[in-house]
Amino acid sequence: MRLQFLGGTGTVTGSKYLLEVGGLRVLVDCGLFQGWKMLRLRNRAPLPVEPASIDAVVLTHAHLDHSGYLPLLVRDGFRGPVYCTAGTAELCGVLLPDSGRLQEEEANYANRRSFSRHDPALPLYTEADAYACLQRLVPGDFERDLPLGPGIGLRLRPAGHILGAAMAEISFGGRRIVFSGDLGRPHDPVMKPPVSPGRADWLLVESTYGNRRHAPEDAQAQLGRIIRRTVAQSGVVLIPTFAVGRAQSLLYLIHRLRAEGEIPQVPVYLNSPMALDATEIFVRHQGEHRLDRAQCEAMCRSAIAVQSAEESKALNRQRGPMIILAASGMATGGRVLHHLKAFAPDPRNTIVFSGYQAGGTRGAAILGGARQVRIHGEDVPVHAGVECLSSLSAHADADEILEWLRGFVAPPRQTFVVHGEPDAADVLRRRIADELGWPVCVPDYLQSVELNA
Ligand code: ZN
């Protein structure tokens, strides 16, 4: 077996791991690079391996940093099956076409306003490319053995990160390699905890929060405090949110805050058609999360759906306190950009981040204290308050990752720390070496390792 790291090294984005096993080439995850420009440029360079030479893809979950390169892989010649859970397939059906549409819109917008340095700006891929790649998805159940090829087995196990999220176990000749995917948290209010891992000869573990502990304050209390304060000063609470996962958790928390009389009755807008679709998928998959049907319905009713671009623009002219949830979660694109232009300059408003902000994104800049950000070629001042609901994270923190690792029946022969920025990956590597005594390393981009039977 041979393993090559085609992404997810030194960054939380671009996850792609190429496994050559039993004569097959299997790509585990097919993510987009996001954030720093030098990373994003990799999306536009040819993949270091010929797409047509890959036999199968396995997706751990639907987030774009794990699935968003699939339209390009298929456009450039990949013709094999893409294995994933049913939840992941349904969410990809929403996320990938939206990603293609957004790239087309941004290229058009850049060309109209001619602020792009590329002339003309071209979308990375189109909505049509995204629909084409969906044909290759092969949805399956959690905890079922699936043959990838002769003597090569795949099992997808619940990872608790978002709906459909799995860790992938690939077995061959009595050996097993485990890809953690993104790991959820043991006590999330909405998602169930990741399953205990069992056995692995080799392990890839994510390290998004490998150097951090999430705040002990519960997210509901923190969000309640932020909303009360902002509403008291007649401000707008603007929440850039990932349409899948965080949007549903936030809606549920807002519903609970209202039901418990913790926040005043102000309008709440969910300004993301994609988040609305994702919420429907979430409601259909009862049993994968902790909410029952009544709680799901209450969650759905807690916000006013904003569908059209016209309604979205009208919000920017509306006066008085309100809460707006809009994608994207790291303010890299989507409708939230127009809201940031409208609301970031006013000190009465609060911008609330609800998930990891990858280096190089506007979200990371604002959270890091930037007093202005560039949006659509304009400098926008940031005078609004800025908050982060870190305890609402969909990722395990460092202690929770260590706790999950302690669930292995024996140390893997080698553990690879991936999906983290350099500091986070290195701190987790040291903790795994010091506290567990396991052989562990942080692989480099394009590094290739032989996994000897
Ligand atoms: Zn994720």
Side-chain angles (χ1 to χ4, degrees):
M1 277 202 269
R2 171 170 276 280
L3 176 66
Q4 192 182 12
F5 300 87
L6 304 182
T9 49
T11 163
V12 298
T13 70
S15 279
K16 287 183 210 80
Y17 312 107
L18 183 70
L19 184 68
E20 298 189 48
V21 54
L24 283 192
R25 282 184 151 180
V26 181
L27 186 66
V28 178
D29 279 339
C30 192
L32 269 188
F33 287 103
Q34 296 164 316
W36 303 115
K37 187 175 178 192
M38 61 171 223
L39 290 176
R40 283 182 283 121
L41 286 175
R42 285 185 193 160
N43 295 326
R44 297 204 175 249
L47 195 69
V49 50
E50 184 57 49
S53 74
I54 297 170
D55 298 287
V57 171
V58 176
L59 294 184
T60 61
H61 66 289
H63 277 152
L64 290 179
D65 55 325
H66 295 257
S67 73
Y69 192 84
L70 200 57
L72 276 178
L73 194 79
V74 172
R75 189 191 70 190
D76 293 349
F78 170 72
R79 289 294 173 267
V82 178
Y83 298 105
C84 61
T85 64
T88 295
E90 286 183 51
L91 290 173
C92 281
V94 174
L95 273 165
L96 294 177
D98 181 81
S99 170
R101 194 158 50 235
L102 260 179
Q103 314 226 26
E104 288 184 75
E105 279 172 15
E106 273 162 24
N108 288 339
Y109 193 83
N111 289 332
R112 273 202 318 278
R113 304 280 296 266
S114 65
F115 62 74
S116 170
R117 279 171 224 131
H118 317 275
D119 203 16
L122 288 175
L124 189 59
Y125 53 84
T126 63
E127 187 176 6
D129 294 329
Y131 277 115
C133 88
L134 297 177
Q135 310 296 324
R136 314 229 64 85
L137 297 182
V138 181
D141 292 333
F142 280 113
E143 302 289 16
R144 283 277 164 77
D145 289 315
L146 218 132
L148 280 179
I152 310 168
L154 165 69
R155 183 180 268 239
L156 296 169
R157 314 196 62 209
H161 168 64
I162 58 166
L163 188 84
M167 45 191 97
E169 290 184 357
I170 296 179
S171 305
F172 178 68
R175 298 290 177 202
R176 182 185 290 164
I177 177 166
V178 173
F179 300 80
S180 76
D182 287 359
L183 283 176
R185 309 192 59 196
H187 307 292
D188 188 88
V190 170
M191 294 307 299
K192 292 182 177 174
V195 294
S196 196
R199 187 181 72 76
D201 296 284
W202 300 279
L203 168 68
L204 281 76
V205 63
E206 70 125 326
S207 58
T208 311
Y209 288 101
N211 57 348
R212 278 187 249 177
R213 285 193 186 97
H214 293 321
E217 180 181 17
D218 93 278
Q220 186 180 329
Q222 193 190 356
L223 183 61
R225 192 166 45 75
I226 294 166
I227 293 173
R228 285 193 299 275
R229 191 191 60 220
T230 309
V231 168
Q233 57 201 26
S234 292
V236 175
V237 179
L238 177 59
I239 312 181
T241 179
F242 301 89
V244 172
R246 292 308 82 189
Q248 291 75 39
S249 297
L250 282 158
L251 289 178
Y252 180 61
L253 291 187
I254 290 170
H255 148 68
R256 287 201 4 196
L257 285 165
R258 272 190 173 156
E260 293 164 18
E262 290 290 320
I263 54 171
Q265 297 291 331
V266 294
V268 178
Y269 297 97
L270 179 58
N271 184 10
S272 167
M274 183 173 49
L276 294 166
D277 293 340
T279 304
E280 275 173 30
I281 294 170
F282 182 90
V283 172
R284 273 208 299 281
H285 284 260
Q286 294 284 322
E288 266 194 55
H289 50 74
R290 298 183 198 258
L291 304 193
D292 61 26
R293 189 154 291 280
Q295 287 169 316
C296 282
E297 282 166 10
M299 172 186 84
C300 294
R301 279 196 310 271
S302 64
I304 303 160
V306 178
Q307 294 282 7
S308 72
E310 279 316 304
E311 291 172 278
S312 171
K313 282 180 201 151
L315 283 183
N316 291 336
R317 298 187 294 269
Q318 189 167 318
R319 296 278 154 256
M322 59 181 160
I323 301 168
I324 303 175
L325 285 73
S328 75
M330 299 191 287
T332 50
R335 290 181 177 179
V336 78
L337 294 186
H338 298 276
H339 293 320
L340 279 172
K341 282 202 269 189
F343 300 121
D346 188 335
R348 292 174 301 170
N349 302 334
T350 309
I351 305 165
V352 184
F353 290 99
S354 60
Y356 188 80
Q357 303 299 310
T361 59
R362 286 188 196 86
I366 295 172
L367 202 53
R371 303 304 289 165
Q372 70 176 31
V373 285
R374 204 161 175 81
I375 299 176
H376 301 142
E378 277 173 45
D379 287 324
V380 177
V382 181
H383 301 309
V386 175
E387 299 267 3
C388 180
L389 293 177
S390 79
S391 57
L392 191 64
S393 174
H395 289 269
D397 69 8
D399 289 351
E400 291 163 348
I401 295 171
L402 263 293
E403 206 41 53
W404 180 76
L405 293 173
R406 286 193 182 92
F408 277 91
V409 296
R413 292 203 229 172
Q414 182 70 42
T415 296
F416 302 96
V417 177
V418 295
H419 197 285
E421 292 188 358
D423 259 10
D426 194 58
V427 169
L428 187 66
R429 175 191 66 77
R430 265 186 284 138
R431 287 192 66 180
I432 292 172
D434 295 348
E435 295 175 34
L436 305 178
W438 293 5
V440 56
C441 65
V442 178
D444 286 326
Y445 180 53
L446 298 184
Q447 188 178 333
S448 180
V449 287
E450 199 62 55
L451 308 176
N452 292 315

